[in-house]
Amino acid sequence: MAAHPRSRRYLVRMRPLPRSFYDDDSLVVAPRLLNKVLVAADGRRGRIVEVEAYRGAADAAAHSFRGMTPRTEVMFGPPGHLYVYFIYGMHWAINAVCGGPAPGHAVLLRALAPLTGLDAMARARGTDTPKLLASGPGRLAQAFGVDRSDNGLDLCRRSSRLWIGDDGVAPPDDPIASPRIGISKAAEHPWRWHVDADPHVSRRPPTRPVRRHPRTA
């Protein structure tokens, strides 16, 4: 199976993003994560093309909205860790924990453009159609073999099974912002960002997208 055409840099030796990268409001971290690379220890890699921000006590849609529970404990810990949860009673989903300004912030990884390890992703997903490998949070987690045991992984350590790196591809200057998907509370906020025109984005905005977004530089 051929790699994604934007993968010319995929052999660059990357380092995990530093913890300081995540130590900010999820509204700032989320668009900055676009075009970063999710790396698995077994060689699977994918470029992040769609994300959503969740903002703790300031966001009724966040799992952390009502405070810390055994389920959400990792969201109240240090930034740069992985929060894993079960979605729709069917799939796992993964989030990068952020630093604040208050506890409970995280960024949901919604879609990836596969770069390497596509055969392993295809076996995990039961399909070799590139668009269906990691388009949507459930598919993404399944493609990378995520389960409950990955909750709390340190994304800032190369020795972790999963981490996020930078291969030199900058975030978009003007990422598309639109309302988040699949939530019933605080659904009006334009806290979902994606790379414009990337075919692996899970769903296009149903109406004209909002392009206002925090600085990504």
Side-chain angles (χ1 to χ4, degrees):
M1 186 185 302
H4 185 267
R6 295 173 63 209
S7 65
R8 61 189 180 279
R9 299 172 184 258
Y10 72 85
L11 291 176
V12 171
R13 182 170 175 79
M14 291 183 291
R15 296 179 179 178
L17 298 172
R19 204 166 310 281
S20 59
F21 179 94
Y22 302 98
D23 195 11
D24 210 332
D25 193 306
S26 58
L27 295 183
V28 174
V29 177
R32 287 180 176 172
L33 277 170
L34 292 175
N35 283 335
K36 298 298 187 284
V37 179
L38 179 66
V39 178
D42 65 1
R44 283 177 272 193
R45 294 186 180 189
R47 193 172 307 285
I48 299 169
V49 297
E50 183 183 357
V51 293
E52 287 180 348
Y54 289 86
R55 305 192 67 231
D59 181 4
H63 291 175
S64 50
F65 176 64
R66 299 190 182 279
M68 186 170 66
T69 66
R71 178 195 190 195
T72 63
E73 183 177 3
V74 68
M75 297 182 75
F76 291 83
H81 286 256
L82 195 69
Y83 169 52
V84 179
Y85 69 91
F86 212 45
I87 185 171
Y88 305 136
M90 299 171 58
H91 308 293
W92 298 103
I94 63 175
N95 304 254
V97 174
C98 301
H105 282 228
V107 176
L108 172 66
L109 305 189
R110 281 200 56 92
L112 301 176
L115 297 178
T116 64
L118 276 69
D119 289 338
M121 294 185 203
R123 287 193 297 272
R125 287 279 302 120
T127 177
D128 61 2
T129 303
K131 174 67 170 66
L132 299 180
L133 292 181
S135 176
R139 291 171 177 170
L140 186 162
Q142 188 177 33
F144 276 71
V146 171
D147 61 26
R148 190 186 304 276
S149 67
D150 294 311
N151 190 48
L153 279 180
D154 190 344
L155 294 170
C156 303
R157 295 177 63 89
R158 189 189 292 275
S159 58
S160 291
R161 193 185 81 78
L162 297 170
W163 49 272
I164 298 174
D166 184 348
D167 68 349
V169 178
D173 289 333
D174 192 19
I176 303 297
S178 58
R180 295 173 294 184
I181 296 171
I183 57 174
S184 58
K185 298 177 180 178
E188 71 279 8
H189 297 303
W191 293 348
R192 169 185 172 237
W193 289 267
H194 70 269
V195 176
D196 195 12
D198 192 286
H200 300 87
V201 171
S202 67
R203 195 185 306 176
R204 305 293 167 181
T207 57
R208 184 178 180 182
V210 178
R211 286 184 176 265
R212 298 188 186 94
H213 58 84
R215 291 178 59 86
T216 58

